[in-house]
Amino acid sequence: MYKEYWDLTHKPFENTPDPRFIYYSPQHEEVFSRLLYVIKEGKGAAMLTGVFGCGKTLISRILLKELDSSIYKTVLITNPYLTYEEFLMHICYNLGCKDLPDTKSEVLVNVVLQRLNEALINNMRDGKRTVVIIDEAHVIKDRKVWEEIRLILNFQLEDKFLITLLLLGQPELEEAMDINKQFSQRIAIKGHLGSFDDDDAKKYIRHRLSVAGRDKDLFTEDAYKEIFKKSGGIPRRINNICDLALLSGFGLKTSLIDKDIIKDVSNDLGN
Ligand SMILES: Nc1ncnc2c1ncn2[C@@H]1O[C@H](COP(=O)(O)OP(=O)(O)O)[C@@H](O)[C@H]1O
Ligand SMILES: [Mg+2]
């Protein structure tokens, strides 16, 4: 709606994990390279925590894009509200396991784990690596699911892990790990994403605008400060404020977005 008015080719502040918009703040850069390292080195598991809206899902999408599909077989679980049978079967289906049971009542966990083990060994023999990413892993409350995840990590051949597991979730995930001590010890790398500082928040906004086709400034200096204050430096909240501010500025036919507009839209958003 406001795209033409602001000279944009795309909407700059959509809350979707679109890799084109990635802004590598120092912490996003570091987390990304650590996770990539865990995958490339074939380590067992890594964990990434951070509050809602700080960029975990976006990072996972970029990792998946980065991995050469002729080498890496990947499974992405985005909604882990699954029973342990469903969880296991989901991974197996996505890895193309053979001879799986047709109905849930037929699922014998040991048999399915065996099939999974075979599929992983076959992948390895074909020169392929297996990566499973579980997004929103903090919602997993079922102890049996954690137990299965731990068993999957046990799959090794001559001291090589057959699978690399990335767990992403909100900070409660850390607590779930504290309970699962045995599991926690297997996590090679733990990363955390926090909010942006004021400088990064500004660079983030400018970066997204530039990807969306606009290099000229669109916010006043005071507006940047206000956005930072109201959003707490969390990308998802910055996006919500900026998107509504562009709409509001378009309605008011202003040439720049100032602090007052940011205050108004933040109030509307309840910030
Ligand atoms: N470093 C970043 N660069 C560009 N956009 C980002 C960045 N971090 C977060 N975002 C954007 O913020 C929004 C929320 O990010 P998301 O990955 O869904 O957060 P989380 O999974 O941690 O809740 C998405 O629109 C995402 O594209
Ligand atoms: Mg997410």
Side-chain angles (χ1 to χ4, degrees):
M1 218 163 119
Y2 55 62
K3 257 177 25 194
E4 292 74 19
Y5 180 76
W6 292 114
D7 264 339
L8 297 160
T9 49
H10 299 83
K11 285 193 76 186
F13 299 108
E14 293 293 277
N15 265 330
T16 47
D18 183 341
R20 283 176 307 175
F21 284 93
I22 180 74
Y23 163 65
Y24 284 106
S25 71
Q27 57 166 342
H28 282 86
E29 172 94 61
E30 170 160 356
V31 156
F32 179 74
S33 64
R34 282 178 173 212
L35 295 180
L36 198 59
Y37 169 80
V38 166
I39 295 173
K40 298 243 154 133
E41 293 295 314
K43 305 229 176 244
M47 177 169 97
L48 172 62
T49 51
V51 294
F52 178 61
C54 65
K56 303 179 295 294
T57 297
L58 177 61
I59 294 273
S60 70
R61 298 303 153 88
I62 296 173
L63 280 171
L64 288 175
K65 236 182 102 198
E66 193 83 359
L67 298 176
D68 180 346
S69 61
S70 65
I71 302 174
Y72 293 94
K73 287 215 154 196
T74 55
V75 180
L76 175 64
I77 299 178
T78 53
N79 174 21
Y81 286 101
L82 302 169
T83 64
Y84 70 103
E85 292 102 336
E86 288 164 346
F87 179 82
L88 203 52
M89 292 295 276
H90 182 95
I91 296 180
C92 287
Y93 277 127
N94 281 281
L95 290 176
C97 292
K98 303 258 160 35
D99 303 325
L100 288 171
D102 289 330
T103 63
K104 200 171 148 184
S105 59
E106 283 178 36
V107 173
L108 291 170
V109 171
N110 285 343
V111 176
V112 180
L113 281 171
Q114 182 59 34
R115 297 281 174 277
L116 180 58
N117 196 12
E118 286 158 15
L120 296 178
I121 290 175
N122 284 339
N123 274 353
M124 201 192 74
R125 297 217 165 110
D126 293 346
K128 303 218 191 246
R129 312 267 287 272
T130 309
V131 179
V132 174
I133 300 182
I134 307 178
D135 200 357
E136 307 280 343
H138 60 278
V139 308
I140 302 175
K141 302 285 181 229
D142 187 341
R143 282 192 35 233
K144 282 191 187 160
V145 174
W146 282 118
E147 183 59 16
E148 262 171 15
I149 298 176
R150 197 173 64 77
L151 289 175
I152 291 171
L153 265 186
N154 279 345
F155 292 150
Q156 289 187 4
L157 202 67
E158 293 136 20
D159 77 348
K160 266 202 191 126
F161 286 105
L162 292 178
I163 195 163
T164 296
L165 188 69
L166 302 188
L167 298 172
L168 317 182
Q170 291 177 27
E172 309 92 271
L173 180 58
E174 190 80 63
E175 288 153 36
M177 283 302 117
D178 287 343
I179 301 166
N180 290 280
K181 280 266 179 317
Q182 262 179 315
F183 189 100
S184 186
Q185 285 160 3
R186 284 157 199 266
I187 297 182
I189 281 183
K190 291 183 183 171
H192 183 78
L193 278 176
S195 47
F196 290 136
D197 62 17
D198 54 347
D199 184 44
D200 265 324
K202 182 174 170 182
K203 287 183 181 153
Y204 167 81
I205 295 168
R206 285 190 158 157
H207 175 80
R208 291 196 72 114
L209 282 170
S210 158
V211 174
R214 166 126 186 175
D215 287 310
K216 262 195 311 180
D217 239 327
L218 199 156
F219 296 95
T220 64
E221 280 305 315
D222 282 349
Y224 281 120
K225 291 196 183 106
E226 196 63 22
I227 296 168
F228 176 66
K229 204 167 109 191
K230 298 290 187 190
S231 64
I234 295 173
R236 180 180 292 272
R237 291 170 66 182
I238 297 177
N239 288 352
N240 290 337
I241 294 173
C242 290
D243 179 51
L244 210 52
L246 292 193
L247 182 64
S248 176
F250 162 62
L252 297 166
K253 301 282 177 269
T254 58
S255 56
L256 276 179
I257 308 277
D258 63 14
K259 182 177 173 175
D260 292 336
I261 295 180
I262 301 299
K263 278 192 171 165
D264 278 352
V265 300
S266 301
N267 274 342
D268 292 347
L269 288 166
N271 289 320

